[in-house]
Amino acid sequence: MSELMEEVRLWNTPIVGAFLLYKFTQGYMSSHPNGEAPMAIQHFIAIAILTNERLKAPISNLRENLQSYVKSFEDNRSSDILLSIQERIKDKLPYTWSSIDIAVANGLLYWDVDEAKLYARLSERSPGYGNAPKAQVKKDGEKAEILGRWFSQHTINAITAYFKIIL
């Protein structure tokens, strides 16, 4: 199966995106020095990364921070993949909005409309029998949480500079 077909198969449902955004926001809030939530625009960057296997693969607890993540692409001479994030944000725009809508509708995230931030609900509900995420989705949720922790250490300007994104 081609990489694109695999990506479509795995990520064609915004419900998975809602879960990833929830985990991303949880990771961000847990590591932010003041417990702040990420600005909504950061969720669009996160989805662009988390829905691509090649962009998602270097995310792990073995890396220290966002700089190390970016450097991994430079070391592997695959900076072009990193530069594709700008286009991926545009391509994933409807998907990200749908994921945010689902997460908000199900109480996973809530808006602070004055500051354009999305907060995660702090109490985690236990999924009912048969509703637990599959192992791969759970693993991706862990990566989303790590990415959120990395993002929390930087301003939006620094993050866009690392990824060479123009917002």
Side-chain angles (χ1 to χ4, degrees), residues 102-163:
I102 290 170
V104 169
N106 287 290
L108 297 174
L109 299 175
Y110 61 93
W111 280 101
D112 176 349
V113 291
D114 294 332
E115 296 188 30
K117 292 182 176 181
L118 280 165
Y119 285 85
R121 173 189 256 178
L122 295 179
S123 63
E124 191 167 323
R125 292 183 280 180
S126 299
Y129 180 75
N131 293 328
K134 294 186 180 200
Q136 181 61 44
V137 174
K138 204 171 185 175
K139 185 176 174 185
D140 290 343
E142 292 168 4
K143 288 185 178 242
E145 209 166 335
I146 293 168
L147 189 65
R149 288 197 305 262
W150 290 347
F151 273 39
S152 73
Q153 305 305 312
H154 302 281
T155 63
I156 186 68
N157 291 334
I159 293 167
T160 57
Y162 284 134
F163 296 128

Side-chain angles (χ1 to χ4, degrees), residues 20-139:
L20 294 177
L21 291 179
Y22 170 68
K23 296 303 271 184
F24 169 79
T25 306
Q26 266 190 332
Y28 189 101
M29 291 175 61
S30 69
S31 291
H32 192 276
N34 300 326
E36 290 290 321
M39 294 176 55
I41 194 76
Q42 291 173 310
H43 292 84
F44 291 88
I45 300 169
I47 281 293
I49 294 169
L50 294 169
T51 56
N52 181 282
E53 287 298 323
R54 294 176 75 187
L55 287 167
K56 184 176 57 178
I59 299 172
S60 76
N61 280 326
L62 300 176
R63 298 200 181 282
E64 188 177 333
N65 52 33
L66 198 56
Q67 295 96 323
S68 172
Y69 171 76
V70 171
K71 191 172 178 336
S72 73
F73 290 96
E74 294 168 359
D75 292 346
N76 293 328
R77 300 177 191 258
S78 55
S79 296
D80 57 323
I81 297 167
L82 198 60
L83 295 175
S84 71
I85 291 175
Q86 176 86 46
E87 275 307 309
R88 292 190 54 76
I89 291 170
K90 291 178 190 171
D91 292 345
K92 294 291 180 186
L93 201 61
Y95 174 87
T96 307
W97 277 121
S98 296
S99 298
I100 290 172
D101 285 346
I102 290 170
V104 169
N106 287 290
L108 297 174
L109 299 175
Y110 61 93
W111 280 101
D112 176 349
V113 291
D114 294 332
E115 296 188 30
K117 292 182 176 181
L118 280 165
Y119 285 85
R121 173 189 256 178
L122 295 179
S123 63
E124 191 167 323
R125 292 183 280 180
S126 299
Y129 180 75
N131 293 328
K134 294 186 180 200
Q136 181 61 44
V137 174
K138 204 171 185 175
K139 185 176 174 185

